[in-house]
Amino acid sequence: DPPHLIAQKAMRVNLSDLAAMGAKPVGYLVGLFLPRDMQNMDAWVSGFAAGLKKDQETFNWSLFGGDTVATSGPLSVSLTAIGDVQQGQALRRRGAKAGDAIFVSGTLGDSALGLKCLSGDISLENEFLINRYHLPQPRLALGQRLFGIATACLDISDGLAGDIRHICNLANLGAKIEEKLLPLSLDASKVLESNPSYKSLIWNGGDDYELLFTAPDHRTDIIKDIAKETGVPLTKIGHMTTDAIIAIQDPSGKNLLEGQQGYRHF
């Protein structure tokens, strides 16, 4: 990947964490580890810095500092985002209640399918899906509107199946999600028509960086209003349950997860 896109993705996935807490971006720290034997290092760093500059201007925040060092290992980038939120108004993962509706922003699976296009596993170069992989859209304005409405919130980085599990575990609850309600882009739908074996990437692929949150059913109308105000589609995909089982059900009632848990870091 070109260095400017690596810089922008590093920024945006961290901005997504701020969005998931309802915070406004203030600044960030960068740790950049460059291989000693790296070729064209100056050109790479110049491109990386250009990507940082572009998204500093897009999201109105600035570089606070960090460190740049040589390494004998692979090139590595670590970015830490710093945001601001009113005391007591941060969104949390903990707090979902039985019966709460489950909502998700945007569409799912685009990034994971875009990576399949880039890697050659899907014999198609879909610009929209590849762009969704390279340049996720942090839902900052949406996150800042959800305090007092969402009972629990996080961003989807490890896949819907894995991340709803975090909300469920903290609440000692389960979740029932309907496959037919999962929001798909037109591009993702077309790719899956030709590559149905990748359907599980919609809930298991990760890298979506959409907001996943719970809220009481009676808040549905105000959530529709927020979707219009922010220009971000919001879809109700299921409900929290007292039965501590996480299910994504197809129209026949079959649980499609079958032990899948999303991306696992450890």
Side-chain angles (χ1 to χ4, degrees), residues 148-160:
I149 297 168
T151 52
C153 182
L154 48 65
D155 69 327
I156 301 176
S157 55
D158 300 336
L160 171 65

Side-chain angles (χ1 to χ4, degrees), residues 160-161 177 179 182 203 246-250 254-257:
L160 171 65
I177 295 169
E179 180 202 10
L182 298 180
W203 57 82
I246 298 171
I248 297 178
Q249 292 187 336
D250 70 7
K254 177 185 176 183
N255 185 358
L256 297 171
L257 291 184

Side-chain angles (χ1 to χ4, degrees), residues 75-89:
L75 185 150
S76 300
V77 177
S78 177
L79 192 147
T80 301
I82 300 167
D84 180 64
V85 64
Q86 290 293 319
Q87 185 172 356
Q89 293 189 12

Side-chain angles (χ1 to χ4, degrees), residues 1 9 13 107-119 122 126-137 156-159 183-185 187-188 191 198 201-202 204-210:
D1 290 335
K9 184 159 187 176
V13 301
T107 53
L108 302 177
D110 296 327
S111 178
L113 290 169
L115 180 57
K116 290 292 184 184
C117 293
L118 282 169
S119 64
I122 293 175
N126 185 294
E127 184 177 351
F128 172 81
L129 298 177
I130 290 172
N131 187 64
R132 287 275 284 163
Y133 169 74
H134 279 140
L135 295 172
Q137 300 296 317
I156 301 176
S157 55
D158 300 336
L184 303 183
S185 67
D187 292 76
V191 167
Y198 289 127
L201 292 178
I202 301 305
N204 220 35
D207 240 11
D208 295 300
Y209 300 103
E210 297 290 351

Side-chain angles (χ1 to χ4, degrees), residues 100-105 156 160 211-217 219-220 223-224 234-238:
D100 277 356
I102 302 169
F103 293 86
V104 68
S105 67
I156 301 176
L160 171 65
L211 294 190
L212 173 67
F213 64 95
T214 57
D217 253 327
R219 293 287 198 174
T220 298
I223 289 170
K224 289 180 180 178
L234 298 174
T235 306
K236 180 161 66 175
I237 60 173

